[in-house]
Amino acid sequence: MKCTRCKKLACVSLPSHHSGFCKDCYPLFFTRQVETAIRREKMFTHGERILVALSGGKDSLALMLELKLQGYDITGLHIDLGIPNSSNKARAKVENFCDMHDLTLQVLEMEKEGLPIPEVKAFINRPVCAVCGKVKRHHFNRIAREGGFDVLATGHNLDDEVARLFANTLRWDTAYLSDQGPMLPAAEGFVRKVKPLFRLTEFETANYAFLKGIEIHSAPCPYSGGASFTNHKKLWGELEHRSPGQKFQFYHGFLKRGKPAFPVQEETSGVTLTPCDECGSPTSVGTCSVCRIKATVRENKAKAEATQG
Ligand code: AMP
Ligand code: FES
Ligand code: ZN
């Protein structure tokens, strides 16, 4: 196959775009997709400050590099979850990457926050991944808000978005369907949230990271037993193989025609939010859910230590 752009030998074929690219032209394809996402969804401008959540995986590091190359004002944020033999490796990849590309990075250690994820696993009787996700989103927003950032960007790609949309649709979860999308506008106490890679698949992002020589942390979280929505992603892999472009059509069709059918619900939009007594994050009750989780971990840990001692 020949490169769609320069007619040299292509190294990657993209059936959903009816094209193929050589290693020099592929990054241009990637850049165009990110530019289109930012422009069409009005994600941010060159005058705004962007906080980019960096896990150390291919998506968030590819996003960070691409936004740097596009000249945006970016700062990285890594949350060190404190998981033995895993978090240290992810953190090292993020730190090396930011050093190498001369990028500003903030690291938040969950250990120092009094909520290392192994303690969540040990002392909270709920699936650790759900709680961990909640804790991460809480700190993304808090740090963006306190640091005066205009927007928080994450590395979610098209496969992540399609799998989540599919799961929400299977359950007809109207509350989640009403705010799923690549751009969530700011609201009282919440910064704007964007997913500039939503037009690109996992394969397309991995290919960019590989061609740009980005060293990534690829081991899955030891607590999650693999990537999230694994089964749905497999199913969509088959659909896409049989009919290239299905993923994007499903997601794009939802944004254009499906989402308007799920307006923000009265019971959530009417709630008054006030700052959390402990951390200042917006909450509908006195103390926010993350501060309550922290308190429960503290209590249950103390009880466990008392019965052991
Ligand atoms: P995941 O839910 O693990 O697929 O991650 C989705 C996105 O969340 C990533 O692309 C990152 O932007 C962000 N993210 C996940 N984990 C972390 C972390 N420990 N620190 C900072 N950002 C993260
Ligand atoms: Fe949060 Fe694994 S439990 S990343
Ligand atoms: Zn709080």
Side-chain angles (χ1 to χ4, degrees), residues 176-255:
Y176 280 124
L177 287 167
S178 71
D179 66 15
Q180 178 165 359
M183 202 285 285
L184 196 62
E188 188 63 40
F190 294 100
V191 296
R192 189 187 326 146
K193 300 196 178 62
V194 298
K195 301 168 184 167
L197 301 185
F198 85 95
R199 298 174 63 87
L200 292 147
T201 63
E202 205 157 298
F203 168 75
E204 288 162 354
T205 316
N207 199 49
Y208 178 85
F210 174 75
L211 290 175
K212 290 283 185 187
I214 302 176
E215 278 200 32
I216 58 166
H217 175 74
S218 53
C221 167
Y223 295 165
S224 74
S228 48
F229 303 119
T230 311
N231 290 334
H232 293 169
K233 283 187 176 172
K234 271 195 202 140
L235 206 63
W236 271 96
E238 267 178 45
L239 284 175
E240 182 72 15
H241 180 70
R242 278 187 221 170
S243 179
Q246 277 274 291
K247 282 179 196 168
F248 189 75
Q249 279 166 24
F250 177 61
Y251 190 68
H252 193 251
F254 165 73
L255 295 180

Coordinates of all heavy atoms in Angstrom, one line a residue, residues 176-255:
Y176 N -25.7 9.2 33.0 CA -24.4 9.1 32.4 C -24.4 9.5 30.9 O -23.5 10.2 30.4 CB -23.8 7.8 32.5 CG -23.2 7.5 33.9 CD1 -23.5 6.4 34.7 CD2 -22.2 8.4 34.4 CE1 -23.0 6.2 35.9 CE2 -21.6 8.2 35.6 CZ -22.0 7.1 36.4 OH -21.5 6.9 37.6
L177 N -25.5 9.1 30.2 CA -25.6 9.5 28.8 C -25.8 11.0 28.6 O -25.3 11.5 27.6 CB -26.8 8.8 28.1 CG -26.6 7.3 27.9 CD1 -28.0 6.6 27.6 CD2 -25.6 7.0 26.8
S178 N -26.4 11.7 29.6 CA -26.6 13.1 29.4 C -25.2 13.9 29.5 O -25.1 15.0 29.0 CB -27.5 13.6 30.4 OG -27.0 13.6 31.7
D179 N -24.2 13.3 30.2 CA -23.0 14.1 30.2 C -21.8 13.4 29.6 O -20.7 13.8 29.9 CB -22.7 14.8 31.6 CG -22.4 13.8 32.7 OD1 -22.2 12.6 32.4 OD2 -22.5 14.2 33.8
Q180 N -22.0 12.3 28.9 CA -20.9 11.7 28.2 C -20.5 12.5 26.9 O -21.4 12.9 26.2 CB -21.2 10.3 27.8 CG -19.9 9.7 27.1 CD -19.9 8.2 26.9 OE1 -20.8 7.5 27.4 NE2 -18.9 7.7 26.3
G181 N -19.3 12.8 26.7 CA -18.9 13.5 25.5 C -17.4 14.0 25.7 O -16.8 13.8 26.7
P182 N -16.9 14.5 24.6 CA -15.5 14.9 24.6 C -15.2 16.2 25.3 O -14.0 16.6 25.5 CB -15.1 14.9 23.1 CG -16.4 15.2 22.4 CD -17.5 14.6 23.2
M183 N -16.3 17.0 25.6 CA -16.0 18.3 26.2 C -17.2 18.5 27.2 O -18.3 18.5 26.9 CB -16.1 19.4 25.1 CG -15.4 20.7 25.5 SD -16.3 21.7 26.6 CE -17.6 22.4 25.6
L184 N -16.8 18.6 28.5 CA -17.8 18.9 29.5 C -17.5 20.3 30.0 O -16.4 20.6 30.5 CB -17.6 17.9 30.7 CG -18.7 17.7 31.7 CD1 -19.9 17.3 31.0 CD2 -18.2 16.7 32.8
P185 N -18.4 21.3 29.8 CA -18.2 22.7 30.1 C -17.9 22.8 31.6 O -18.4 22.0 32.4 CB -19.4 23.4 29.7 CG -20.3 22.4 29.0 CD -19.8 21.1 29.3
A186 N -17.3 23.9 32.0 CA -17.1 24.2 33.4 C -18.4 24.5 34.1 O -19.4 24.9 33.4 CB -16.2 25.5 33.5
A187 N -18.5 24.2 35.4 CA -19.7 24.5 36.1 C -19.2 24.9 37.5 O -18.0 24.8 37.8 CB -20.6 23.2 36.3
E188 N -20.1 25.4 38.3 CA -19.7 25.9 39.6 C -18.7 25.0 40.4 O -19.1 23.8 40.7 CB -21.0 26.1 40.5 CG -20.8 26.8 41.8 CD -20.3 28.3 41.6 OE1 -20.7 29.0 40.7 OE2 -19.4 28.7 42.5
G189 N -17.5 25.3 40.6 CA -16.5 24.5 41.3 C -15.9 23.4 40.4 O -15.0 22.7 40.9
F190 N -16.3 23.3 39.2 CA -15.7 22.2 38.3 C -15.1 22.9 37.1 O -15.8 23.7 36.4 CB -16.8 21.3 37.8 CG -17.4 20.4 38.9 CD1 -18.6 20.8 39.5 CD2 -16.7 19.3 39.4 CE1 -19.2 20.0 40.5 CE2 -17.3 18.5 40.4 CZ -18.5 18.9 41.0
V191 N -13.9 22.5 36.8 CA -13.2 23.1 35.6 C -13.7 22.3 34.3 O -14.3 21.2 34.5 CB -11.7 23.0 35.6 CG1 -11.1 23.8 36.7 CG2 -11.2 21.5 35.7
R192 N -13.5 22.9 33.2 CA -13.9 22.3 31.9 C -13.0 21.0 31.7 O -11.9 21.0 32.1 CB -13.6 23.3 30.8 CG -14.1 22.9 29.4 CD -13.6 23.9 28.4 NE -13.5 25.2 28.8 CZ -12.5 26.1 28.5 NH1 -11.6 25.8 27.5 NH2 -12.5 27.3 29.0
K193 N -13.7 20.0 31.2 CA -12.9 18.7 31.0 C -13.0 18.3 29.5 O -14.0 18.4 28.9 CB -13.5 17.6 31.8 CG -13.4 18.0 33.3 CD -13.6 16.9 34.2 CE -13.5 17.4 35.6 NZ -14.5 18.4 36.0
V194 N -11.8 18.0 29.0 CA -11.8 17.6 27.5 C -11.0 16.4 27.3 O -10.1 16.0 28.0 CB -11.1 18.8 26.7 CG1 -11.9 20.1 26.9 CG2 -9.7 19.0 27.2
K195 N -11.3 15.7 26.1 CA -10.7 14.5 25.7 C -10.2 14.7 24.2 O -10.9 14.2 23.3 CB -11.6 13.3 25.8 CG -12.2 13.1 27.2 CD -13.3 12.2 27.2 CE -13.9 12.0 28.6 NZ -15.2 11.4 28.6
P196 N -9.1 15.4 24.0 CA -8.7 15.7 22.6 C -8.4 14.5 21.7 O -8.3 14.7 20.5 CB -7.4 16.6 22.8 CG -7.5 17.0 24.2 CD -8.2 15.9 25.0
L197 N -8.2 13.3 22.3 CA -7.9 12.1 21.5 C -9.2 11.3 21.1 O -9.1 10.2 20.6 CB -7.0 11.2 22.2 CG -5.6 11.8 22.6 CD1 -4.7 10.7 23.2 CD2 -4.9 12.4 21.4
F198 N -10.4 11.9 21.3 CA -11.6 11.1 21.1 C -11.8 10.7 19.7 O -12.6 9.8 19.4 CB -12.8 11.8 21.7 CG -13.5 12.8 20.7 CD1 -14.5 12.4 19.9 CD2 -13.0 14.1 20.6 CE1 -15.1 13.3 19.0 CE2 -13.6 15.0 19.7 CZ -14.6 14.6 18.9
R199 N -11.2 11.3 18.7 CA -11.4 10.9 17.3 C -10.4 9.8 16.9 O -10.5 9.3 15.8 CB -11.1 12.1 16.4 CG -12.1 13.2 16.6 CD -11.7 14.4 15.7 NE -11.8 14.1 14.3 CZ -12.9 14.2 13.5 NH1 -14.0 14.7 14.1 NH2 -12.9 13.9 12.3
L200 N -9.4 9.5 17.8 CA -8.4 8.5 17.5 C -8.5 7.2 18.2 O -8.8 7.2 19.4 CB -7.0 9.1 17.8 CG -6.7 10.3 16.8 CD1 -5.9 11.3 17.5 CD2 -6.0 9.8 15.6
T201 N -8.3 6.1 17.6 CA -8.5 4.8 18.2 C -7.2 4.5 19.1 O -6.2 5.2 18.9 CB -8.6 3.6 17.2 OG1 -7.5 3.6 16.4 CG2 -9.9 3.8 16.4
E202 N -7.3 3.4 19.9 CA -6.2 3.0 20.7 C -5.0 2.6 19.8 O -3.9 3.0 20.0 CB -6.7 1.8 21.4 CG -5.9 1.5 22.7 CD -6.8 0.7 23.6 OE1 -7.9 1.1 24.0 OE2 -6.3 -0.4 24.0
F203 N -5.3 2.0 18.7 CA -4.3 1.6 17.7 C -3.6 2.8 17.1 O -2.4 2.9 17.0 CB -4.9 0.7 16.6 CG -4.0 0.5 15.4 CD1 -2.9 -0.4 15.5 CD2 -4.2 1.2 14.2 CE1 -2.0 -0.5 14.5 CE2 -3.3 1.1 13.2 CZ -2.2 0.2 13.3
E204 N -4.4 3.8 16.8 CA -3.8 5.0 16.2 C -3.0 5.8 17.2 O -1.9 6.3 16.8 CB -5.0 5.9 15.6 CG -5.6 5.3 14.4 CD -7.0 5.8 14.0 OE1 -7.6 6.6 14.8 OE2 -7.5 5.4 13.0
T205 N -3.4 5.8 18.4 CA -2.6 6.5 19.4 C -1.3 5.7 19.7 O -0.2 6.3 19.8 CB -3.4 6.7 20.7 OG1 -4.7 7.1 20.4 CG2 -2.7 7.7 21.7
A206 N -1.4 4.4 19.8 CA -0.2 3.5 20.1 C 0.8 3.7 18.9 O 2.0 3.8 19.2 CB -0.7 2.1 20.2
N207 N 0.3 3.8 17.7 CA 1.1 3.9 16.6 C 1.9 5.3 16.6 O 3.1 5.3 16.3 CB 0.2 3.9 15.3 CG 1.0 3.5 14.1 OD1 1.8 2.6 14.1 ND2 0.9 4.3 13.1
Y208 N 1.2 6.3 17.0 CA 1.9 7.6 17.2 C 2.9 7.6 18.2 O 4.1 8.0 18.0 CB 0.8 8.7 17.5 CG 1.3 10.1 17.7 CD1 1.5 11.0 16.7 CD2 1.6 10.6 19.0 CE1 2.0 12.3 16.9 CE2 2.1 11.8 19.3 CZ 2.2 12.7 18.2 OH 2.7 14.0 18.4
A209 N 2.6 7.0 19.4 CA 3.5 6.9 20.5 C 4.8 6.1 20.0 O 5.9 6.5 20.3 CB 2.9 6.2 21.7
F210 N 4.6 5.0 19.3 CA 5.7 4.2 18.8 C 6.6 5.0 17.8 O 7.8 5.1 18.0 CB 5.1 3.0 18.2 CG 6.1 2.1 17.5 CD1 7.0 1.3 18.3 CD2 6.3 2.1 16.1 CE1 8.0 0.6 17.7 CE2 7.3 1.3 15.5 CZ 8.1 0.5 16.3
L211 N 5.9 5.6 16.9 CA 6.7 6.4 15.9 C 7.4 7.6 16.5 O 8.5 8.0 16.0 CB 5.8 6.9 14.7 CG 5.3 5.8 13.8 CD1 4.3 6.3 12.8 CD2 6.4 5.0 13.1
K212 N 6.9 8.1 17.5 CA 7.6 9.3 18.2 C 8.6 8.8 19.2 O 9.2 9.6 19.9 CB 6.5 10.2 18.9 CG 5.7 10.9 17.9 CD 6.4 12.1 17.3 CE 5.6 13.0 16.4 NZ 6.3 14.0 15.8
G213 N 8.7 7.5 19.4 CA 9.7 6.9 20.3 C 9.4 7.2 21.8 O 10.3 7.3 22.6
I214 N 8.1 7.3 22.1 CA 7.7 7.6 23.5 C 7.8 6.3 24.3 O 7.3 5.3 23.9 CB 6.3 8.1 23.6 CG1 6.1 9.4 22.8 CG2 5.9 8.4 25.1 CD1 4.7 10.0 22.8
E215 N 8.5 6.4 25.5 CA 8.6 5.2 26.3 C 7.4 5.2 27.3 O 7.2 6.2 28.0 CB 9.9 5.2 27.2 CG 11.0 4.7 26.4 CD 12.2 4.3 27.3 OE1 11.9 3.9 28.4 OE2 13.3 4.5 26.9
I216 N 6.6 4.1 27.2 CA 5.4 4.2 28.0 C 5.3 3.1 29.1 O 6.1 2.1 29.1 CB 4.1 3.9 27.0 CG1 4.3 2.6 26.3 CG2 4.0 5.0 26.1 CD1 3.0 2.1 25.7
H217 N 4.4 3.3 30.0 CA 4.2 2.3 31.1 C 3.0 1.5 30.5 O 1.9 2.0 30.5 CB 3.8 3.0 32.4 CG 3.4 2.1 33.5 ND1 4.3 1.3 34.1 CD2 2.2 1.8 34.0 CE1 3.7 0.5 35.0 NE2 2.4 0.8 34.9
S218 N 3.2 0.2 30.2 CA 2.1 -0.5 29.6 C 1.5 -1.6 30.4 O 0.5 -2.2 30.1 CB 2.6 -1.1 28.2 OG 3.8 -1.9 28.5
A219 N 2.2 -1.9 31.6 CA 1.6 -2.9 32.5 C 0.3 -2.5 33.0 O 0.1 -1.4 33.4 CB 2.6 -3.2 33.6
P220 N -0.8 -3.4 33.0 CA -2.1 -3.0 33.6 C -2.0 -2.9 35.1 O -1.0 -3.4 35.7 CB -3.0 -4.2 33.2 CG -2.1 -5.3 32.9 CD -0.8 -4.8 32.5
C221 N -2.9 -2.1 35.6 CA -2.9 -2.0 37.1 C -3.1 -3.4 37.7 O -4.0 -4.1 37.3 CB -4.1 -1.1 37.5 SG -4.5 -1.1 39.2
P222 N -2.3 -3.7 38.7 CA -2.4 -5.0 39.4 C -3.8 -5.3 40.0 O -4.1 -6.4 40.3 CB -1.3 -5.0 40.4 CG -0.9 -3.6 40.6 CD -1.2 -2.9 39.3
Y223 N -4.5 -4.2 40.3 CA -5.8 -4.4 41.0 C -7.0 -4.5 40.0 O -8.0 -4.9 40.4 CB -6.1 -3.2 41.9 CG -5.2 -3.1 43.1 CD1 -5.1 -1.9 43.8 CD2 -4.3 -4.1 43.5 CE1 -4.3 -1.7 44.9 CE2 -3.5 -4.0 44.5 CZ -3.5 -2.8 45.2 OH -2.6 -2.6 46.3
S224 N -6.7 -4.1 38.7 CA -7.9 -4.1 37.8 C -8.1 -5.4 37.0 O -9.1 -5.6 36.5 CB -7.7 -2.9 36.8 OG -6.7 -3.2 35.9
G225 N -7.0 -6.2 37.0 CA -7.1 -7.4 36.2 C -7.3 -7.1 34.7 O -8.0 -7.8 34.0
G226 N -6.7 -6.1 34.2 CA -6.8 -5.7 32.8 C -7.4 -4.4 32.5 O -7.7 -3.7 33.5
A227 N -7.5 -4.0 31.3 CA -8.1 -2.7 30.9 C -9.5 -2.7 31.2 O -10.2 -3.7 31.4 CB -7.8 -2.5 29.4
S228 N -10.1 -1.5 31.4 CA -11.5 -1.4 31.7 C -12.3 -1.7 30.4 O -11.9 -1.4 29.3 CB -11.8 0.0 32.2 OG -11.2 1.0 31.4
F229 N -13.5 -2.2 30.6 CA -14.4 -2.5 29.5 C -13.8 -3.5 28.5 O -14.1 -3.4 27.3 CB -14.9 -1.2 28.8 CG -15.5 -0.2 29.6 CD1 -15.0 1.1 29.7 CD2 -16.7 -0.5 30.3 CE1 -15.6 2.1 30.5 CE2 -17.3 0.5 31.0 CZ -16.8 1.8 31.1
T230 N -13.0 -4.4 29.0 CA -12.3 -5.3 28.1 C -13.2 -6.0 27.1 O -12.9 -6.1 25.9 CB -11.5 -6.3 28.9 OG1 -10.7 -5.6 29.9 CG2 -10.5 -7.1 28.0
N231 N -14.3 -6.6 27.6 CA -15.2 -7.4 26.8 C -15.9 -6.5 25.7 O -16.0 -6.9 24.5 CB -16.3 -8.1 27.6 CG -15.6 -9.2 28.4 OD1 -14.6 -9.7 28.0 ND2 -16.2 -9.6 29.5
H232 N -16.3 -5.3 26.1 CA -16.9 -4.4 25.2 C -15.9 -4.0 24.1 O -16.3 -3.9 22.9 CB -17.5 -3.2 25.9 CG -18.7 -3.5 26.8 ND1 -19.2 -2.6 27.7 CD2 -19.4 -4.7 26.9 CE1 -20.2 -3.2 28.3 NE2 -20.3 -4.4 27.8
K233 N -14.7 -3.8 24.5 CA -13.7 -3.4 23.5 C -13.4 -4.5 22.5 O -13.3 -4.2 21.3 CB -12.4 -3.0 24.2 CG -12.5 -1.6 24.8 CD -11.2 -1.1 25.4 CE -11.3 0.3 25.9 NZ -10.1 0.8 26.6
K234 N -13.4 -5.7 23.0 CA -13.2 -6.9 22.1 C -14.4 -6.9 21.0 O -14.2 -7.1 19.9 CB -13.2 -8.2 22.9 CG -11.8 -8.6 23.3 CD -11.8 -10.0 23.8 CE -10.7 -10.2 24.7 NZ -11.0 -11.1 25.9
L235 N -15.6 -6.8 21.5 CA -16.8 -6.8 20.7 C -16.7 -5.8 19.6 O -16.9 -6.0 18.4 CB -18.0 -6.6 21.6 CG -19.3 -7.1 21.2 CD1 -19.3 -8.7 21.1 CD2 -20.4 -6.7 22.2
W236 N -16.3 -4.6 20.0 CA -16.2 -3.5 19.1 C -15.1 -3.6 18.1 O -15.1 -3.2 17.0 CB -16.1 -2.1 19.9 CG -17.5 -1.6 20.1 CD1 -18.2 -1.8 21.2 CD2 -18.3 -0.9 19.2 NE1 -19.5 -1.2 21.1 CE2 -19.6 -0.7 19.8 CE3 -18.2 -0.5 17.8 CZ2 -20.6 -0.1 19.2 CZ3 -19.2 0.1 17.2 CH2 -20.5 0.3 17.9
G237 N -14.0 -4.3 18.6 CA -12.9 -4.7 17.7 C -13.4 -5.5 16.5 O -13.1 -5.2 15.3
E238 N -14.3 -6.4 16.8 CA -14.9 -7.3 15.7 C -15.8 -6.5 14.8 O -15.7 -6.6 13.6 CB -15.7 -8.4 16.3 CG -14.8 -9.7 16.5 CD -15.7 -10.8 17.2 OE1 -16.8 -11.0 16.8 OE2 -15.1 -11.4 18.1
L239 N -16.6 -5.7 15.4 CA -17.5 -4.9 14.5 C -16.7 -3.9 13.6 O -17.1 -3.8 12.4 CB -18.4 -4.0 15.4 CG -19.6 -4.7 16.2 CD1 -20.2 -3.7 17.1 CD2 -20.6 -5.2 15.1
E240 N -15.7 -3.4 14.2 CA -14.9 -2.4 13.4 C -14.1 -3.2 12.2 O -14.0 -2.6 11.1 CB -13.9 -1.7 14.3 CG -13.0 -0.7 13.7 CD -13.7 0.6 13.3 OE1 -14.8 0.8 13.8 OE2 -13.1 1.4 12.5
H241 N -13.7 -4.4 12.6 CA -13.0 -5.2 11.6 C -13.9 -5.5 10.4 O -13.5 -5.4 9.2 CB -12.5 -6.5 12.2 CG -11.7 -7.3 11.2 ND1 -10.5 -7.0 10.8 CD2 -12.1 -8.5 10.7 CE1 -10.1 -7.9 9.9 NE2 -11.0 -8.9 9.9
R242 N -15.2 -5.8 10.7 CA -16.1 -6.2 9.6 C -16.6 -4.9 8.9 O -16.9 -5.0 7.7 CB -17.3 -6.8 10.2 CG -17.1 -8.3 10.5 CD -18.4 -9.0 10.9 NE -18.0 -9.9 12.0 CZ -18.9 -10.5 12.7 NH1 -20.2 -10.3 12.5 NH2 -18.5 -11.4 13.6
S243 N -16.7 -3.8 9.6 CA -17.2 -2.6 9.0 C -16.4 -1.4 9.5 O -16.8 -0.7 10.4 CB -18.7 -2.6 9.4 OG -19.3 -1.5 8.9
P244 N -15.3 -1.2 8.8 CA -14.4 -0.1 9.3 C -15.1 1.3 9.4 O -15.9 1.6 8.5 CB -13.3 0.0 8.2 CG -13.3 -1.4 7.6 CD -14.7 -1.8 7.6
G245 N -15.0 2.0 10.5 CA -15.6 3.3 10.7 C -16.8 3.2 11.6 O -17.3 4.3 12.0
Q246 N -17.2 2.0 12.0 CA -18.4 1.8 12.9 C -18.2 2.5 14.2 O -19.2 3.1 14.7 CB -18.5 0.3 13.2 CG -19.3 -0.4 12.2 CD -20.8 -0.4 12.4 OE1 -21.3 -0.9 13.4 NE2 -21.5 0.3 11.5
K247 N -17.0 2.4 14.8 CA -16.8 3.0 16.1 C -17.1 4.5 16.1 O -17.8 5.1 16.9 CB -15.3 2.8 16.5 CG -15.0 1.5 17.0 CD -13.5 1.5 17.4 CE -13.0 0.0 17.5 NZ -11.5 0.0 17.6
F248 N -16.5 5.2 15.1 CA -16.6 6.6 15.0 C -18.0 7.0 14.7 O -18.6 7.9 15.3 CB -15.6 7.2 14.0 CG -15.6 8.7 14.1 CD1 -14.9 9.4 15.1 CD2 -16.3 9.5 13.1 CE1 -15.0 10.7 15.2 CE2 -16.3 10.9 13.2 CZ -15.6 11.5 14.3
Q249 N -18.7 6.2 13.8 CA -20.1 6.5 13.5 C -21.0 6.4 14.7 O -21.9 7.2 14.9 CB -20.6 5.6 12.4 CG -20.1 6.0 11.0 CD -20.4 4.8 10.0 OE1 -21.2 4.0 10.2 NE2 -19.6 4.8 8.9
F250 N -20.8 5.4 15.5 CA -21.6 5.2 16.7 C -21.4 6.3 17.6 O -22.4 6.9 18.1 CB -21.2 3.8 17.3 CG -21.9 3.5 18.6 CD1 -23.3 3.4 18.7 CD2 -21.2 3.4 19.8 CE1 -23.9 3.0 19.9 CE2 -21.8 3.1 21.0 CZ -23.2 2.9 21.0
Y251 N -20.2 6.7 17.9 CA -19.9 7.8 18.9 C -20.4 9.2 18.3 O -21.0 9.9 19.0 CB -18.4 7.8 19.2 CG -18.1 8.7 20.4 CD1 -18.5 8.3 21.6 CD2 -17.4 9.9 20.2 CE1 -18.3 9.2 22.7 CE2 -17.1 10.7 21.3 CZ -17.5 10.3 22.5 OH -17.3 11.1 23.6
H252 N -20.0 9.4 17.1 CA -20.3 10.7 16.5 C -21.9 10.8 16.3 O -22.4 11.9 16.6 CB -19.6 10.8 15.1 CG -19.6 12.2 14.5 ND1 -20.4 12.5 13.5 CD2 -19.0 13.3 14.9 CE1 -20.2 13.8 13.2 NE2 -19.4 14.3 14.1
G253 N -22.5 9.7 16.0 CA -24.0 9.8 15.8 C -24.6 10.0 17.2 O -25.6 10.8 17.3
F254 N -24.0 9.5 18.2 CA -24.6 9.8 19.6 C -24.5 11.2 19.9 O -25.4 11.9 20.4 CB -23.8 8.9 20.6 CG -24.0 9.4 22.0 CD1 -25.3 9.2 22.7 CD2 -23.1 10.1 22.7 CE1 -25.5 9.7 24.0 CE2 -23.3 10.6 24.0 CZ -24.5 10.4 24.6
L255 N -23.3 11.8 19.6 CA -23.1 13.2 20.0 C -24.1 14.1 19.2 O -24.6 15.1 19.7 CB -21.7 13.7 19.7 CG -20.5 13.0 20.5 CD1 -19.2 13.6 20.1 CD2 -20.7 13.2 22.0

